[in-house]
Amino acid sequence: MKLYGQPFDLMQYIYGYSQKPIIRACIRFNGKLKSESLKRAVKVLSSIYPILRCKYEIKKGIWNEDSISYENLLTTISAKSDFSIFENDSLLSSLEIGIDRPLKIYWICGKKSDSLCIIASHLLCDGRGFEQLLYLLAELYSGKEIETQINTNRSFAQITSRFTMMQKIKILCSKTRAESMDAKLHLPLNEGGRKPRLITKQINLSKLEQYRSCVEGYRPNINDILLAAYMLTLHNMFRWNDITIPCPVDLRRFNINANNSVCNLTGNYYCHVRFSDNSTFEKVCNSISAQMCVQKNSSLCLKEPILLHILYRMLPFSILKEVLSNKISVPMTSYTNLGKIDEARLTFQEAAVSDAFIVTAAKLVPYFQLAVSTYKSRCTLSACTYASGKSYDLICSVMNNICNLIEIL
């Protein structure tokens, strides 16, 4: 079986010069999982999404089916002690493009409780698509009748088909409002190691909700508050006065029928803050909230993806790879909010989920990305990085300062 690749698959591959394109999730349970139920769920999942049985062929931009059994997607690890070490090692394990299938599931078995550490190639899907895989795995494990509509369509056309030709032309001709950030501006990271490391910090969601309910004159969402804390921390620590942060946006919002698609459908909003001596947290947050509101009411975030897909259709694959490799740039300092994991949908029958979070790609030095995911009452801030030594310590300091800033709101 052969599946044609999509433009976003190629884009994620090209991003490889700045990161290892892998998205990761950790699901912790209060009890034990059943072997038969989990193996059955993995088997059915791989049959619903044939791409999980494929490898990406870089030279041709296609997915070719591999003859290895679905059982190879699942690895069982016995962890009588040092449970957190096994979790960390599993989350940070590698997926090699063209060699491995795009999904690996690690079942970490403790004496009284288990964890699932799931990693997926970013060529397969974005954060929202990854969530859909997790929800479906939970439904299949529980033996429930699948309530959500299965969507195996990976094409960007499911988004653009909602627009007329004139609307697409208008989007392409629109002027980008984003103020570019100095390309040389990045965290002073210069020490890198061979293996990635994961840093996580947790914030109680009630603290963010408390600030949200107290401000007057505007209504920021949780993402606005977190982004304000991030940008203000960068300003305070490194004296950056002009900061532009790209913020990934789920393009499925333009077509509700694409909600369950397991693929990459991501564009960008751009948030710019010019700091001054009287910049307060409230002023920064208000500015971010206003910018986000304008962009949410616009379709400008479709401009770059539409242009990418036009080039993908027009140019031979070999030429396209060369063109995009020279044109695509990854921001040195970035941010992504993977949203709130749906507690009701992440249900594994008798095994209660105690915690869950999602982590994004491991960034090479000097690139840095702050990732956020929320489950129940906890908001997990994470960074996956190849930084080591003092550079690693600096990233820890950045994340601690973000948390401290939020605590004193």
XYZ file of all heavy atoms in Angstrom, residues 80-169:
721
model
N 9.763 -1.847 38.253
C 9.521 -2.091 39.673
C 9.954 -0.892 40.517
O 9.406 -0.633 41.580
C 10.271 -3.347 40.099
C 9.758 -4.615 39.424
C 10.538 -5.829 39.875
C 10.003 -7.092 39.183
N 10.775 -8.297 39.583
N 10.961 -0.190 40.020
C 11.434 1.015 40.704
C 11.886 2.024 39.649
O 11.910 1.723 38.459
C 12.598 0.682 41.655
O 13.678 0.122 40.929
N 12.219 3.230 40.089
C 12.678 4.282 39.167
C 11.670 4.498 38.036
O 12.029 4.596 36.863
C 14.058 3.938 38.577
C 15.140 3.857 39.636
O 15.033 4.619 40.613
O 16.054 3.048 39.493
N 10.406 4.565 38.406
C 9.329 4.690 37.434
C 9.516 5.918 36.543
O 9.348 5.857 35.325
C 7.996 4.799 38.183
C 6.804 4.357 37.387
C 6.461 3.016 37.321
C 6.024 5.270 36.705
C 5.357 2.597 36.594
C 4.930 4.858 35.982
C 4.590 3.514 35.918
N 9.886 7.045 37.154
C 10.023 8.302 36.410
C 11.145 8.231 35.379
O 11.083 8.865 34.329
C 10.274 9.470 37.370
O 11.469 9.273 38.108
N 12.179 7.438 35.661
C 13.301 7.298 34.719
C 12.831 6.592 33.454
O 13.162 6.999 32.332
C 14.469 6.528 35.371
C 15.053 7.354 36.528
C 15.547 6.200 34.339
C 16.154 6.641 37.287
N 12.033 5.542 33.613
C 11.503 4.825 32.450
C 10.575 5.728 31.636
O 10.574 5.680 30.406
C 10.761 3.566 32.896
C 11.670 2.445 33.324
C 11.809 2.116 34.660
C 12.402 1.729 32.381
C 12.647 1.081 35.059
C 13.242 0.694 32.769
C 13.362 0.373 34.111
N 9.763 6.536 32.313
C 8.888 7.483 31.619
C 9.709 8.458 30.796
O 9.432 8.690 29.620
C 8.036 8.262 32.627
C 6.832 7.527 33.146
C 5.942 8.411 33.990
O 6.366 9.531 34.368
O 4.819 7.998 34.291
N 10.712 9.030 31.425
C 11.556 10.019 30.755
C 12.266 9.425 29.547
O 12.267 10.006 28.448
C 12.571 10.578 31.743
C 13.370 11.743 31.180
O 12.877 12.853 31.053
N 14.618 11.480 30.827
N 12.853 8.241 29.727
C 13.579 7.590 28.625
C 12.645 7.247 27.472
O 13.015 7.369 26.296
C 14.279 6.329 29.124
C 15.460 6.630 30.041
O 15.877 7.800 30.085
O 15.933 5.694 30.710
N 11.425 6.811 27.792
C 10.463 6.444 26.750
C 9.996 7.675 25.984
O 9.911 7.661 24.751
C 9.254 5.731 27.367
O 9.656 4.544 28.002
N 9.691 8.741 26.713
C 9.240 9.972 26.058
C 10.306 10.545 25.138
O 10.001 11.144 24.109
C 8.847 11.024 27.110
C 7.494 10.867 27.789
C 7.337 11.899 28.900
C 6.361 11.003 26.791
N 11.555 10.381 25.512
C 12.658 10.972 24.752
C 13.287 9.999 23.755
O 14.320 10.311 23.172
C 13.730 11.501 25.712
C 13.265 12.633 26.637
C 14.374 13.045 27.584
C 12.792 13.836 25.827
N 12.676 8.837 23.572
C 13.194 7.893 22.572
C 12.979 8.461 21.174
O 12.207 9.394 20.974
C 12.521 6.534 22.714
O 11.121 6.644 22.578
N 13.643 7.890 20.214
C 13.690 8.479 18.869
C 12.785 7.762 17.872
O 12.458 6.587 18.025
C 15.134 8.448 18.359
O 15.232 9.021 17.080
N 12.366 8.504 16.872
C 11.683 7.971 15.693
C 12.450 8.484 14.484
O 12.499 9.693 14.242
C 10.232 8.459 15.616
C 9.167 7.770 16.466
C 7.847 8.514 16.331
C 8.990 6.331 16.036
N 13.056 7.588 13.726
C 13.852 8.011 12.582
C 13.002 8.000 11.316
O 12.385 6.989 10.965
C 15.061 7.091 12.407
C 16.045 7.132 13.574
C 16.631 8.515 13.812
O 16.823 9.250 12.814
O 16.876 8.863 14.975
N 12.954 9.138 10.645
C 12.163 9.275 9.420
C 12.716 8.343 8.340
O 13.919 8.316 8.086
C 12.190 10.739 8.925
C 11.583 11.662 9.983
C 11.429 10.883 7.602
C 11.782 13.139 9.699
N 11.839 7.583 7.724
C 12.242 6.650 6.682
C 12.656 5.293 7.200
O 12.788 4.338 6.429
N 12.871 5.187 8.507
C 13.283 3.921 9.118
C 12.185 3.368 10.019
O 11.838 2.191 9.953
C 14.595 4.097 9.916
C 15.725 4.539 8.979
C 14.952 2.814 10.663
C 17.013 4.852 9.696
N 11.633 4.227 10.860
C 10.607 3.808 11.813
C 9.206 4.164 11.325
O 9.017 5.103 10.540
C 10.841 4.485 13.172
C 12.135 4.046 13.828
O 12.428 2.832 13.789
O 12.854 4.910 14.370
N 8.239 3.439 11.849
C 6.853 3.840 11.674
C 6.606 5.112 12.475
O 7.374 5.432 13.390
C 5.926 2.728 12.168
C 5.972 1.463 11.314
C 5.040 0.433 11.918
N 5.007 -0.794 11.139
C 4.178 -1.805 11.414
N 3.351 -1.710 12.442
N 4.184 -2.895 10.676
N 5.516 5.848 12.170
C 5.336 7.164 12.784
C 4.742 7.166 14.186
O 4.420 8.227 14.712
C 4.383 7.865 11.808
C 3.563 6.757 11.243
C 4.495 5.580 11.131
N 4.598 5.991 14.805
C 4.001 5.948 16.151
C 4.646 4.840 16.972
O 4.888 3.737 16.480
C 2.489 5.695 16.057
C 1.710 5.716 17.384
C 1.548 7.148 17.881
C 0.344 5.050 17.228
N 4.935 5.147 18.241
C 5.409 4.151 19.192
C 4.662 4.344 20.511
O 4.473 5.474 20.969
C 6.919 4.292 19.447
C 7.809 3.786 18.322
C 9.285 3.888 18.726
C 10.203 3.391 17.614
N 11.640 3.502 17.991
N 4.257 3.233 21.108
C 3.545 3.275 22.382
C 4.340 2.458 23.400
O 4.606 1.265 23.185
C 2.117 2.702 22.245
C 1.325 3.490 21.202
C 1.402 2.721 23.592
C -0.020 2.877 20.853
N 4.725 3.099 24.498
C 5.463 2.422 25.561
C 4.527 2.234 26.760
O 4.006 3.200 27.310
C 6.686 3.241 25.977
C 7.743 3.343 24.895
C 7.745 4.417 24.003
C 8.723 2.373 24.761
C 8.701 4.512 23.002
C 9.689 2.461 23.771
C 9.670 3.527 22.897
O 10.616 3.621 21.905
N 4.326 0.974 27.118
C 3.479 0.643 28.264
C 4.399 0.344 29.445
O 5.076 -0.676 29.474
C 2.604 -0.558 27.923
C 1.748 -1.073 29.029
C 1.361 -0.410 30.152
C 1.184 -2.391 29.124
N 0.572 -1.207 30.938
C 0.446 -2.431 30.335
C 1.211 -3.515 28.299
C -0.241 -3.556 30.750
C 0.517 -4.648 28.705
C -0.200 -4.662 29.913
N 4.442 1.258 30.396
C 5.329 1.130 31.551
C 4.527 0.546 32.711
O 3.586 1.172 33.207
C 5.940 2.490 31.929
C 6.670 3.076 30.710
C 6.903 2.342 33.094
C 7.180 4.463 30.911
N 4.893 -0.658 33.110
C 4.124 -1.406 34.107
C 4.801 -1.335 35.473
O 5.899 -1.868 35.664
C 3.999 -2.873 33.689
S 3.272 -3.103 32.058
N 4.141 -0.700 36.419
C 4.624 -0.667 37.790
C 3.935 -1.719 38.622
O 3.137 -2.511 38.119
N 4.218 -1.731 39.922
C 3.605 -2.730 40.797
C 2.107 -2.473 40.960
O 1.303 -3.405 40.931
C 4.288 -2.697 42.163
C 5.717 -3.229 42.155
C 6.311 -3.210 43.561
C 7.732 -3.770 43.570
N 8.324 -3.733 44.940
N 1.738 -1.214 41.156
C 0.339 -0.885 41.420
C -0.270 0.050 40.387
O -1.488 0.237 40.351
C 0.212 -0.252 42.810
C 0.611 -1.181 43.949
C 0.426 -0.488 45.298
C 0.800 -1.420 46.449
N 0.625 -0.749 47.769
N 0.561 0.661 39.569
C 0.046 1.613 38.571
C 0.892 1.567 37.301
O 2.038 1.130 37.328
C 0.029 3.036 39.143
O 1.342 3.451 39.485
N 0.294 2.042 36.225
C 0.956 2.025 34.912
C 1.008 3.425 34.308
O 0.334 4.346 34.771
C 0.204 1.112 33.942
C 0.274 -0.356 34.332
O 1.087 -0.688 35.216
O -0.481 -1.146 33.751
N 1.808 3.543 33.263
C 1.850 4.757 32.442
C 1.913 4.363 30.977
O 2.442 3.293 30.636
C 3.088 5.616 32.773
O 2.952 6.278 33.998
N 1.387 5.227 30.126
C 1.584 5.105 28.685
C 2.384 6.312 28.226
O 2.008 7.461 28.488
C 0.244 5.065 27.947
C -0.587 3.790 28.046
C -1.893 3.968 27.284
C 0.175 2.577 27.532
N 3.499 6.059 27.568
C 4.285 7.124 26.950
C 4.193 6.905 25.442
O 4.643 5.875 24.928
C 5.734 7.088 27.426
S 5.907 7.511 29.173
N 3.600 7.848 24.755
C 3.300 7.690 23.332
C 4.036 8.764 22.547
O 3.944 9.952 22.881
C 1.779 7.798 23.094
C 1.052 6.759 23.959
C 1.434 7.612 21.626
C -0.446 6.941 24.010
N 4.782 8.343 21.537
C 5.479 9.320 20.708
C 5.045 9.141 19.246
O 4.812 8.034 18.793
C 7.016 9.213 20.847
C 7.531 7.868 20.317
C 7.441 9.422 22.291
C 9.050 7.790 20.274
N 4.930 10.260 18.548
C 4.500 10.232 17.146
C 5.358 11.188 16.330
O 5.785 12.234 16.823
C 3.027 10.621 17.020
N 5.600 10.819 15.102
C 6.327 11.705 14.194
C 5.463 12.923 13.896
O 4.261 12.812 13.665
C 6.656 10.977 12.895
O 7.152 11.879 11.936
N 6.100 14.086 13.890
C 5.373 15.318 13.541
C 4.982 15.321 12.068
O 4.157 16.126 11.645
C 6.222 16.544 13.863
C 5.519 17.538 14.731
N 4.197 17.881 14.545
C 5.951 18.288 15.771
C 3.842 18.779 15.440
N 4.887 19.034 16.205
N 5.572 14.435 11.278
C 5.151 14.294 9.884
C 3.761 13.673 9.827
O 2.998 13.903 8.879
C 6.120 13.432 9.090
C 7.387 14.109 8.543
C 8.341 14.486 9.664
C 8.086 13.215 7.533
N 3.430 12.891 10.834
C 2.118 12.242 10.901
C 1.017 13.238 11.243
O -0.036 13.266 10.601
C 2.147 11.125 11.948
C 0.805 10.461 12.288
C 0.294 9.655 11.105
C 0.954 9.580 13.530
N 1.256 14.055 12.254
C 0.186 14.937 12.727
C 0.722 16.046 13.608
O 1.857 16.012 14.073
C -0.861 14.124 13.498
S -0.191 13.278 14.956
N -0.152 17.030 13.837
C 0.136 18.114 14.776
C -0.443 17.753 16.145
O -0.921 16.635 16.366
C -0.431 19.438 14.258
C -1.926 19.348 13.930
O -2.587 18.394 14.392
O -2.433 20.229 13.215
N -0.411 18.702 17.076
C -0.884 18.436 18.428
C -2.341 18.022 18.485
O -2.710 17.099 19.222
N -3.190 18.706 17.716
C -4.618 18.385 17.730
C -4.859 16.994 17.127
O -5.655 16.209 17.653
C -5.385 19.441 16.938
C -6.896 19.209 16.873
C -7.539 19.257 18.254
N -8.958 19.017 18.178
C -9.875 19.944 17.933
N -9.497 21.203 17.732
N -11.160 19.649 17.897
N -4.175 16.660 16.048
C -4.304 15.337 15.454
C -3.819 14.255 16.400
O -4.401 13.160 16.479
N -2.748 14.549 17.140
C -2.204 13.613 18.128
C -3.225 13.336 19.230
O -3.408 12.190 19.648
C -0.920 14.211 18.707
C -0.122 13.269 19.570
C 0.153 11.982 19.169
C 0.380 13.699 20.786
C 0.907 11.117 19.961
C 1.139 12.856 21.586
C 1.396 11.568 21.178
N -3.902 14.393 19.672
C -4.955 14.220 20.675
C -6.035 13.262 20.187
O -6.536 12.426 20.946
C -5.588 15.565 21.020
C -4.814 16.405 22.011
C -5.572 17.649 22.410
O -6.812 17.569 22.563
O -4.935 18.713 22.548
N -6.411 13.380 18.910
C -7.450 12.506 18.366
C -7.024 11.045 18.432
O -7.837 10.159 18.712
C -7.772 12.907 16.913
C -8.245 14.340 16.742
C -9.338 14.725 17.723
O -10.346 14.064 17.842
N -9.122 15.832 18.424
N -5.737 10.776 18.187
C -5.226 9.407 18.305
C -5.336 8.909 19.750
O -5.699 7.753 19.989
C -3.768 9.344 17.853
C -3.483 9.286 16.350
C -1.978 9.274 16.111
C -4.129 8.072 15.701
N -5.018 9.776 20.701
C -5.092 9.393 22.118
C -6.532 9.086 22.523
O -6.792 8.095 23.222
C -4.524 10.511 23.009
C -3.070 10.923 22.775
C -2.669 12.010 23.770
C -2.137 9.737 22.877
N -7.463 9.934 22.093
C -8.872 9.712 22.426
C -9.385 8.404 21.817
O -10.121 7.650 22.466
C -9.734 10.871 21.928
C -9.421 12.215 22.552
C -9.554 13.397 21.815
C -8.995 12.316 23.869
C -9.268 14.630 22.386
C -8.704 13.549 24.447
C -8.842 14.713 23.691
O -8.558 15.926 24.246
N -9.002 8.159 20.577
C -9.466 6.946 19.909
C -8.864 5.708 20.559
O -9.546 4.682 20.728
C -9.120 6.991 18.419
C -9.657 5.841 17.558
C -11.167 5.700 17.711
C -9.289 6.055 16.095
N -7.599 5.776 20.950
C -6.959 4.662 21.649
C -7.715 4.363 22.947
O -7.947 3.190 23.280
C -5.500 5.009 21.961
C -4.691 3.925 22.689
C -4.493 2.706 21.794
C -3.334 4.476 23.146
N -8.123 5.409 23.664
C -8.877 5.231 24.910
C -10.230 4.579 24.647
O -10.653 3.674 25.375
C -9.061 6.580 25.601
N -10.925 5.028 23.602
C -12.229 4.447 23.254
C -12.095 2.978 22.880
O -12.898 2.138 23.304
C -12.857 5.222 22.089
C -13.461 6.555 22.468
C -14.249 7.180 21.320
O -15.302 6.637 20.957
O -13.773 8.202 20.780
N -11.081 2.674 22.084
C -10.879 1.290 21.646
C -10.499 0.387 22.822
O -10.936 -0.757 22.913
C -9.798 1.237 20.566
C -10.147 1.923 19.234
C -8.919 1.998 18.337
C -11.281 1.187 18.526
N -9.682 0.907 23.721
C -9.306 0.140 24.912
C -10.535 -0.177 25.752
O -10.681 -1.287 26.281
C -8.296 0.934 25.759
C -7.956 0.268 27.077
C -6.880 -0.612 27.170
C -8.715 0.514 28.230
C -6.574 -1.240 28.375
C -8.417 -0.114 29.430
C -7.353 -0.983 29.498
O -7.057 -1.612 30.685
N -11.424 0.794 25.884
C -12.609 0.639 26.727
C -13.691 -0.214 26.074
O -14.709 -0.512 26.715
C -13.170 2.020 27.094
O -12.183 2.804 27.749
N -13.485 -0.571 24.805
C -14.464 -1.391 24.112
C -15.754 -0.668 23.806
O -16.799 -1.279 23.584
N -15.675 0.664 23.782
C -16.868 1.464 23.518
C -17.165 1.506 22.023
O -16.279 1.320 21.195
C -16.662 2.903 24.019
C -16.466 3.047 25.512
C -16.231 4.505 25.859
C -15.998 4.713 27.343
N -15.716 6.145 27.650
N -18.405 1.792 21.727
C -18.755 2.077 20.339
C -18.176 3.444 20.008
O -18.361 4.411 20.759
C -20.274 2.099 20.164
C -20.707 2.336 18.738
C -22.218 2.290 18.588
O -22.895 1.794 19.506
O -22.713 2.765 17.540
N -17.454 3.535 18.905
C -16.768 4.785 18.562
C -17.799 5.856 18.232
O -18.582 5.728 17.289
C -15.809 4.570 17.376
C -14.738 3.545 17.759
C -15.150 5.881 16.973
C -13.830 3.147 16.619
N -17.827 6.894 19.074
C -18.838 7.934 18.940
C -18.418 9.025 17.964
O -19.244 9.632 17.299
C -19.142 8.553 20.314
C -19.725 7.537 21.303
C -19.979 8.150 22.663
O -19.653 9.341 22.839
O -20.502 7.435 23.549
N -17.123 9.286 17.896
C -16.644 10.350 17.016
C -16.455 9.817 15.595
O -16.115 8.658 15.393
C -15.295 10.907 17.515
O -14.373 9.832 17.660
C -15.480 11.617 18.842
N -16.675 10.683 14.649
C -16.532 10.300 13.248
C -15.056 10.114 12.891
O -14.228 10.966 13.176
C -17.150 11.371 12.348
C -17.112 11.027 10.867
C -17.740 12.123 10.023
O -18.224 13.114 10.545
N -17.723 11.939 8.715
N -14.728 8.978 12.311
C -13.352 8.707 11.899
C -13.052 9.522 10.641
O -13.788 9.472 9.659
C -13.130 7.215 11.621
C -13.436 6.383 12.879
C -11.711 6.966 11.137
C -12.533 6.668 14.047
N -11.968 10.266 10.673
C -11.577 11.083 9.526
C -10.147 10.720 9.135
O -9.194 11.073 9.830
C -11.685 12.571 9.876
C -11.383 13.478 8.700
O -10.962 13.014 7.638
N -11.581 14.775 8.872
N -9.999 10.006 8.033
C -8.663 9.617 7.569
C -8.141 10.560 6.483
O -7.091 10.311 5.899
C -8.683 8.176 7.030
O -9.635 8.083 5.967
C -9.054 7.189 8.125
N -8.863 11.626 6.230
C -8.457 12.607 5.229
C -7.311 13.453 5.776
O -7.457 14.120 6.798
C -9.649 13.492 4.862
C -9.343 14.464 3.727
O -8.209 14.542 3.244
N -10.340 15.206 3.304
N -6.162 13.442 5.107
C -5.000 14.208 5.554
C -4.777 15.450 4.693
O -3.810 16.185 4.893
C -3.737 13.344 5.534
C -3.834 12.082 6.375
C -2.500 11.345 6.436
N -1.539 12.068 7.238
C -0.420 12.586 6.787
N -0.112 12.507 5.496
N 0.415 13.213 7.591
N -5.653 15.700 3.745
C -5.462 16.775 2.788
C -5.839 18.145 3.367
O -6.810 18.286 4.107
C -6.294 16.512 1.532
O -6.273 17.623 0.677
N -5.073 19.159 2.982
C -5.370 20.548 3.370
C -6.618 21.056 2.644
O -7.222 22.036 3.049
C -4.162 21.428 3.039
C -4.305 22.863 3.474
C -4.462 23.185 4.810
C -4.272 23.885 2.548
C -4.585 24.508 5.219
C -4.394 25.205 2.935
C -4.542 25.514 4.277
N -7.017 20.336 1.586
C -8.195 20.738 0.816
C -9.459 20.730 1.662
O -10.421 21.454 1.361
C -8.372 19.818 -0.387
N -9.490 19.943 2.740
C -10.673 19.933 3.599
C -10.844 21.274 4.318
O -11.922 21.565 4.828
C -10.615 18.783 4.601
C -9.421 18.792 5.528
C -9.328 17.524 6.364
O -10.305 17.063 6.950
N -8.142 16.934 6.414
N -9.806 22.070 4.329
C -9.900 23.432 4.876
C -10.184 24.438 3.760
O -11.118 25.236 3.843
C -8.595 23.831 5.602
C -8.273 22.828 6.714
C -8.708 25.245 6.169
C -9.325 22.701 7.785
N -9.391 24.390 2.689
C -9.517 25.398 1.628
C -10.770 25.229 0.788
O -11.199 26.174 0.122
C -8.281 25.355 0.707
O -8.110 24.009 0.199
C -7.027 25.757 1.465
N -11.367 24.047 0.800
C -12.584 23.840 0.010
C -13.742 24.691 0.497
O -14.727 24.875 -0.219
C -12.984 22.351 0.043
O -13.271 21.943 1.371
N -13.605 25.225 1.698
C -14.659 26.073 2.255
C -14.592 27.496 1.727
O -15.471 28.307 2.013
C -14.549 26.104 3.785
C -14.367 24.753 4.443
C -15.623 23.929 4.418
N -16.645 24.450 5.306
C -17.801 23.845 5.561
N -18.068 22.707 4.945
N -18.674 24.371 6.382
N -13.530 27.792 0.969
C -13.321 29.154 0.469
C -13.457 29.181 -1.054
O -13.069 28.230 -1.736
C -11.929 29.664 0.866
C -11.746 29.844 2.347
C -11.387 28.768 3.150
C -11.938 31.083 2.938
C -11.217 28.920 4.519
C -11.770 31.253 4.300
C -11.415 30.170 5.103
N -13.990 30.281 -1.560
C -14.073 30.468 -3.016
C -12.705 30.864 -3.545
O -11.803 31.243 -2.778
C -15.087 31.559 -3.365
O -14.595 32.826 -2.874
C -16.450 31.274 -2.759
N -12.532 30.805 -4.867
C -11.273 31.192 -5.475
C -10.939 32.647 -5.162
O -9.789 32.985 -4.866
C -11.341 30.974 -6.986
C -10.047 31.321 -7.720
S -8.627 30.355 -7.114
C -9.085 28.729 -7.712
N -11.947 33.520 -5.196
C -11.716 34.938 -4.909
C -11.283 35.146 -3.460
O -10.430 35.995 -3.178
C -12.980 35.741 -5.214
C -13.286 35.899 -6.700
S -11.881 36.617 -7.625
C -11.721 38.218 -6.820
N -11.860 34.382 -2.553
C -11.468 34.491 -1.145
C -10.022 34.045 -0.940
O -9.271 34.669 -0.180
C -12.401 33.646 -0.281
C -13.793 34.221 -0.123
C -14.729 33.276 0.618
O -14.682 32.051 0.444
N -15.594 33.834 1.461
N -9.615 32.995 -1.642
C -8.228 32.527 -1.539
C -7.258 33.559 -2.093
O -6.193 33.803 -1.514
C -8.064 31.196 -2.286
C -8.839 30.041 -1.684
C -8.713 28.796 -2.564
C -9.641 27.690 -2.111
N -9.603 26.513 -3.001
N -7.630 34.157 -3.220
C -6.772 35.195 -3.819
C -6.645 36.382 -2.872
O -5.556 36.947 -2.697
C -7.345 35.643 -5.184
C -7.229 34.497 -6.196
C -6.606 36.876 -5.698
C -7.917 34.770 -7.519
